[in-house]
Amino acid sequence: MVKRVTHMRFLTFLAFLALVSILLPETALPQAQRAGGPCSYENYPGAISIIAVEPIPQPKNPSARLPYQPYRVIFTFAPAKSLANSLFQPTKAQELTLSGGTPPGPEFLKKYGIHPGASFKTDLHLITSGTCSPMVFTFHGIDVYDRFEFKKR
């Protein structure tokens, strides 16, 4: 009799959970994948010009050091057509980083031909709705997700 009562309580509890999951609105559930989104962007084709490539000192803490010499890559963006948007400042220099904000290393710079004076076709994406990054660059010919230098430990 005790086993049957315990079994019935368990089934009742499962039925309650099923009912709650059906009735609970989807917006009340945490949605990590929607953090900052959904967002919309307007695309502006153009080109970047690399204006500086300079080494960055490694942190003193050995555990925070990168497995390569990091470099700061500074560029400017020139839209192909006139761009009137308050988010874009034509004279402002930007910094090229790998995915996650990590600076590139010397082998990355060599692989993609990044040096002062180099230019690359680039798309500038400016946010039109949502709360994601207001400005995103897509570089043609540079894969910022290519983190091969991290694998050389």
Side-chain angles (χ1 to χ4, degrees):
M1 181 70 175
V2 173
K3 284 186 180 180
R4 187 172 186 182
V5 170
T6 304
H7 184 69
M8 288 301 290
R9 284 185 182 168
F10 179 73
L11 289 177
T12 303
F13 177 72
L14 285 179
F16 173 76
L17 284 179
L19 181 62
V20 167
S21 68
I22 292 170
L23 297 177
L24 190 63
E26 188 174 311
T27 57
L29 298 174
Q31 296 183 2
Q33 72 275 14
R34 292 194 62 200
C39 297
S40 298
Y41 289 86
E42 191 162 336
N43 182 39
Y44 298 94
I48 63 164
S49 294
I50 307 295
I51 58 174
V53 176
E54 48 199 38
I56 301 171
Q58 287 274 17
K60 292 183 183 190
N61 179 354
S63 65
R65 291 183 182 192
L66 293 170
Y68 56 82
Q69 170 62 55
Y71 281 81
R72 178 172 289 115
V73 178
I74 307 298
F75 68 88
T76 56
F77 176 78
K81 295 181 181 177
S82 177
L83 197 165
N85 186 308
S86 62
L87 292 173
F88 175 68
Q89 299 170 9
T91 58
K92 184 176 180 186
Q94 305 289 333
E95 187 171 347
L96 186 151
T97 60
L98 301 179
S99 62
T102 307
E107 292 182 38
F108 184 92
L109 300 177
K110 184 178 179 181
K111 179 177 181 179
Y112 291 102
I114 299 170
H115 56 82
S119 63
F120 299 89
K121 288 185 180 180
T122 302
D123 292 322
L124 169 61
H125 310 278
L126 296 176
I127 196 163
T128 56
S129 67
T131 58
C132 301
S133 297
M135 188 180 321
V136 177
F137 291 95
T138 302
F139 308 103
H140 299 248
I142 302 174
D143 182 1
V144 296
Y145 296 96
D146 185 4
R147 300 168 61 99
F148 68 93
E149 289 179 301
F150 279 90
K151 297 172 185 163
K152 294 185 170 192
R153 285 213 175 225

